[in-house]
Amino acid sequence: MIRYLWFDLGYTLVKTNREEAYQKALERMGVYRSGEEIAIAYHRSDKLFMREYPGVLGKDSRAFLPWYVGTLNYNLRLSLPIEEVLQAHRDIARECPMKWQAYDGAKRTLQHLRSLGYRLGLISNWDESAREVLARNGLDEELDEIVISSEVGVEKPHPDIFRMALDRGGVSASESLYIGDNYYDDVAGSQKIGMHCLLINAYGSLGIEELSYRPVIAGIEDVAAYLGHPGLPLEITG
């Protein structure tokens, strides 16, 4: 029986406005792509890096950004000078800094899951900014335990970070469900110690065609239904 739900952070609970920023950078270079096209290109690029270059996306972006932008442009069917694209992107970032923001409904979803009797935790590969991101979005107050790689000295998919979380939560692996968007960090890592896992992939099988893993959900709003409960109640406004 599942008693404890553990979440990844980036692109599970929070996201940036990177698609909008990249669209503006391209427009400054006289190129147009729709927001949906850019979102799908980012999705494909993320999944490629997760599969082929594990751990890279969590490092200093200066180490991989030109490489990533080349992949992004390939997925957008563009052939542009990388340095010019990067400069346009830097200009946009100075005018409108990108911040990690909670997905719409993320906080309400966590509250709903808590109301159903589940305890909630976080297991994330993140730097020292993780707690600020959580607090700014009001997510920290919905979590019973928070385990961050930069604080504990071990990263997913190493099983020790999952073991630490279970010890802190006082729960067994078989009573836990992990929810994250990176198969190679989240699913492979949590399964090493016997945890159940839900893989988030907003576009069905897109970008993860090489995997036969199931279950896959579109986002955390689907967690309650997966567990056999009603979904998030409609928000009453006005």
Side-chain angles (χ1 to χ4, degrees):
M1 178 179 177
I2 302 298
R3 297 194 301 115
Y4 216 122
L5 307 177
W6 299 92
F7 294 89
D8 176 41
L9 183 52
Y11 292 96
T12 296
L13 295 177
V14 298
K15 64 177 181 176
T16 68
N17 63 331
R18 61 183 183 173
E19 294 86 0
E20 179 185 354
Y22 204 73
Q23 185 178 47
K24 290 179 179 178
L26 291 178
E27 287 174 353
R28 290 200 175 183
M29 301 183 69
V31 176
Y32 177 78
R33 290 291 187 273
S34 71
E36 181 71 1
E37 287 178 298
I38 294 172
I40 290 174
Y42 265 111
H43 179 83
R44 285 188 179 278
S45 300
D46 285 348
K47 299 307 175 184
L48 172 67
F49 271 68
M50 289 174 184
R51 179 176 70 249
E52 301 295 338
Y53 316 112
V56 169
L57 292 179
K59 307 305 180 187
D60 188 331
S61 64
R62 292 173 296 181
F64 69 84
L65 194 56
W67 181 17
Y68 185 92
V69 167
T71 303
L72 184 63
N73 285 343
Y74 174 81
N75 285 319
L76 286 167
R77 307 174 308 285
L78 294 173
S79 179
L80 297 170
I82 298 298
E83 281 304 321
E84 292 183 24
V85 177
L86 289 173
Q87 185 57 56
H89 196 270
R90 284 191 289 265
D91 292 342
I92 294 294
R94 280 194 293 269
E95 296 168 13
C96 183
M98 287 189 288
K99 290 185 177 180
W100 289 97
Q101 302 291 337
Y103 279 100
D104 292 342
K107 184 178 176 70
R108 290 183 61 233
T109 296
L110 296 182
Q111 291 172 335
H112 178 51
L113 292 169
R114 288 175 67 88
S115 75
L116 294 171
Y118 295 101
R119 296 178 65 197
L120 308 179
L122 181 90
I123 307 172
S124 176
N125 288 353
W126 208 278
D127 61 20
E128 64 280 355
S129 68
R131 290 186 183 270
E132 185 275 328
V133 170
L134 290 167
R136 177 161 43 80
N137 288 284
L139 300 177
D140 55 338
E141 59 199 33
E142 306 301 334
L143 299 169
D144 297 293
E145 295 292 342
I146 296 173
V147 180
I148 302 164
S149 62
S150 60
E151 297 180 355
V152 301
V154 61
E155 296 183 344
K156 299 178 297 183
H158 198 288
D160 281 354
I161 193 169
F162 296 98
R163 291 192 183 102
M164 290 177 189
L166 296 179
D167 287 343
R168 291 185 184 185
V171 66
S172 69
S174 62
E175 296 172 311
S176 297
L177 176 68
Y178 190 76
I179 301 102
D181 69 310
N182 185 334
Y183 173 85
Y184 301 94
D185 281 356
D186 301 331
V187 176
S190 61
Q191 285 189 333
K192 287 178 182 177
I193 63 166
M195 291 176 74
H196 307 282
C197 187
L198 277 175
L199 177 63
I200 290 178
N201 202 61
Y203 296 96
S205 62
L206 187 66
I208 58 170
E209 292 88 351
E210 82 283 3
L211 301 176
S212 59
Y213 181 79
R214 294 294 182 272
V216 177
I217 59 174
I220 61 166
E221 67 277 5
D222 296 331
V223 173
Y226 171 78
L227 292 167
H229 302 289
L232 186 65
L234 293 175
E235 186 173 13
I236 299 174
T237 60

